[in-house]
Amino acid sequence: MVASKSATFFVAGGAGFIGSGFVALLLETLPAATVVNFDALTYAGNLDNLQGLNQERHKFIRGDITDRSSVLDALTDATDVVVNFAAESHVDRSILSANEFIETNVLGAQVLLDCARERKVRRFVQISTDEVMGSLPEDTDTFFTEESHFRPNSPYAASKAAAEHLVRAAHHTFGLDTVITRCGNNYGPRQFPEKFLPLMIANALNDEPIPIYGDGLNVRDWIHVDDHCRAILKVVEAGRSDTTYNIGARNERRNIEVATSVLDQLGKPHSLLKFVKDRPGHDRRYAINPTLIETELGWKPQETWESGLRKTIDWYLGNPRWVDRARSGDYRQFYAQQYGIEVGAN
Ligand code: NAD
Ligand code: DAU
């Protein structure tokens, strides 16, 4: 058990979607904890995500996890826990070019592990994904468990699987205290609009078409980001060393169902849905069995799909400037390359 009430955390990737939620949770729930937030601010990192955080106990450092000397400078001997969210996280981008995924997700993870060992941190938590386990058959009672085999199907998933192997090796060879979490599809505020749910919300609000890959029947297991962050905190505090915990809210949905729910809540017509060419290697179904974290650590999701989706849509409705900024710059180039049309085209 790693006591965390007054712990010093080093959070890598804490300006992104999930990392920023986790930093906020740490500062809110652990009144004596301090957080060094280390993030390269790639296209997905956003300082706006950190507005309103306690400034005395939170220090932001712009840095790259592949840069050993920057990491060592930022990581003091007083650091208790490293939590690694830093990653290239979008499957479609990994299909366009895998290099950045290998750099950050694999090499960066190894640099963090080496530095954590050198600084004698007490615990290293690697934020991984259910995608390392590949795709499940449709319409069956099979689920991902902690014993499922590695079967990554995209360059993104393969890079995350490689990182898990490095984490395992750091424990077995060097005795570093490590824990791995594997979660399914997160949704919630501050998610970059390249991902399905915020892309749909942003496009629908602008009456732009919503691209549905293939037949739209792929299944994802959705969880609100705050529930994911609460699960990670449980793992930090009470997870067993050298253990992997699956995190999921038992919330399987077909993509087309998710899309129509969003359109209905926004009062937009289903005619905005546009079936487009499928993603190469598109995993058919993800479904997580979270029994281990539920029974061993007493974690349960607090949001239902209905409450979480409502809050998420309300957040995007209430933050048009955040959305406009995210959809400018690099995003426009990516969107044109990925979808063959300009952002804003109807
Ligand atoms: P994100 O893309 O929103 O954020 C990634 C963050 O990492 C950004 O702030 C970015 O600036 C930072 N970063 C990227 N490269 C870096 C580098 N070299 N050095 C330092 N910082 C760097 O991602 P997210 O959706 O918040 O995902 C966070 C983590 O959770 C990732 O490791 C991802 O694989 C994992 N995960 C995500 C989901 C999901 O549904 N989004 C589900 C399960 C697991
Ligand atoms: O399962 C966890 C993973 O979930 C995380 O590890 C990844 O970081 C995260 O990006 C997410 O991966 P997915 O590939 O499942 O998420 P994405 O939002 O890209 O797509 C969700 C589903 O929607 C998937 O079946 C593909 C489909 N899709 C996606 C986009 C962007 C579409 O039909 N159209 C789209 O335009």
Side-chain angles (χ1 to χ4, degrees):
M1 165 106 167
V2 174
S4 61
K5 288 203 167 33
S6 60
T8 300
F9 288 84
F10 180 98
V11 177
F17 165 49
I18 307 173
S20 61
F22 184 71
V23 169
L25 179 73
L26 285 178
L27 294 168
E28 274 161 32
T29 55
L30 306 175
T34 54
V35 180
V36 170
N37 185 345
F38 188 87
D39 193 298
L41 296 182
T42 66
Y43 75 90
N46 187 343
L47 289 178
D48 289 345
N49 293 346
L50 306 175
Q51 273 179 10
L53 296 184
N54 180 308
Q55 292 306 316
E56 276 162 30
R57 295 186 291 117
H58 172 244
K59 182 178 174 193
F60 179 80
I61 297 176
R62 185 172 190 174
D64 190 321
I65 59 164
T66 64
D67 178 353
R68 181 184 150 82
S69 65
S70 301
V71 174
L72 271 182
D73 282 350
L75 196 60
T76 68
D77 281 337
T79 306
D80 295 297
V81 184
V82 170
V83 188
N84 182 24
F85 293 89
E88 289 294 333
S89 66
H90 193 39
V91 172
D92 291 325
R93 288 188 192 249
S94 79
I95 296 168
L96 294 172
S97 166
N99 292 354
E100 304 85 338
F101 288 73
I102 306 305
E103 286 284 333
T104 290
N105 301 4
V106 185
L107 293 179
Q110 184 61 43
V111 169
L112 279 183
L113 287 162
D114 289 341
C115 295
R117 207 153 48 83
E118 195 165 328
R119 293 291 188 231
K120 299 188 172 47
V121 307
R122 297 174 61 199
R123 169 151 282 190
F124 186 103
V125 181
Q126 172 69 7
I127 308 305
S128 193
T129 170
D130 60 353
E131 296 199 17
V132 300
M133 299 173 276
S135 185
L136 290 166
E138 224 173 337
D139 298 329
T140 61
D141 276 343
T142 50
F143 296 90
F144 292 136
T145 73
E146 287 77 5
E147 309 309 320
S148 298
H149 292 142
F150 282 91
R151 287 198 178 91
N153 289 324
S154 70
Y156 162 70
S159 69
K160 295 294 290 186
E164 285 202 28
H165 291 309
L166 296 172
V167 171
R168 179 184 161 84
H171 175 80
H172 283 270
T173 304
F174 301 110
L176 187 67
D177 180 308
T178 58
V179 198
I180 295 171
T181 62
R182 289 183 190 152
C183 192
N185 285 63
N186 283 225
Y187 68 98
R190 307 175 314 277
Q191 187 170 30
F192 195 76
E194 64 191 355
K195 306 282 172 22
F196 188 45
L197 218 129
L199 183 147
M200 279 191 288
I201 298 172
N203 283 21
L205 286 174
N206 290 295
D207 298 311
E208 293 166 39
I210 291 172
I212 304 288
Y213 295 160
D215 60 9
L217 298 180
N218 301 65
V219 174
R220 293 295 182 266
D221 195 347
W222 295 91
I223 181 171
H224 192 275
V225 63
D226 292 346
D227 281 321
H228 183 194
C229 291
R230 286 186 279 265
I232 296 168
L233 186 53
K234 286 268 188 199
V235 168
V236 166
E237 293 181 317
R240 271 178 296 124
S241 184
D242 192 27
T243 303
T244 297
Y245 292 91
N246 284 351
I247 301 170
R250 302 180 195 272
N251 183 36
E252 287 182 61
R253 311 259 159 194
R254 293 191 191 280
N255 291 341
I256 196 72
E257 179 200 344
V258 174
T260 48
S261 300
V262 168
L263 289 174
D264 291 346
Q265 289 212 22
L266 289 171
K268 296 288 182 178
H270 292 194
S271 56
L272 284 178
L273 300 176
K274 187 177 172 216
F275 288 88
V276 298
K277 194 162 157 276
D278 208 353
R279 169 187 282 175
H282 195 176
D283 284 339
R284 194 63 173 168
R285 172 173 168 254
Y286 301 150
I288 293 159
N289 178 343
T291 302
L292 182 66
I293 190 165
E294 287 174 350
T295 53
E296 195 177 297
L297 303 183
W299 171 85
K300 283 231 178 310
Q302 294 178 16
E303 296 291 349
T304 63
W305 171 240
E306 289 71 25
S307 68
L309 187 59
R310 184 69 261 163
K311 284 182 188 173
T312 303
I313 289 177
D314 286 348
W315 188 89
Y316 283 93
L317 285 170
N319 289 275
R321 275 192 58 223
W322 187 100
V323 177
D324 286 347
R325 278 201 210 156
R327 279 165 44 105
S328 62
D330 159 88
Y331 185 70
R332 303 184 75 82
Q333 222 179 323
F334 164 74
Y335 197 91
Q337 190 177 7
Q338 178 66 21
Y339 298 103
I341 54 167
E342 301 297 321
V343 173
N346 287 305

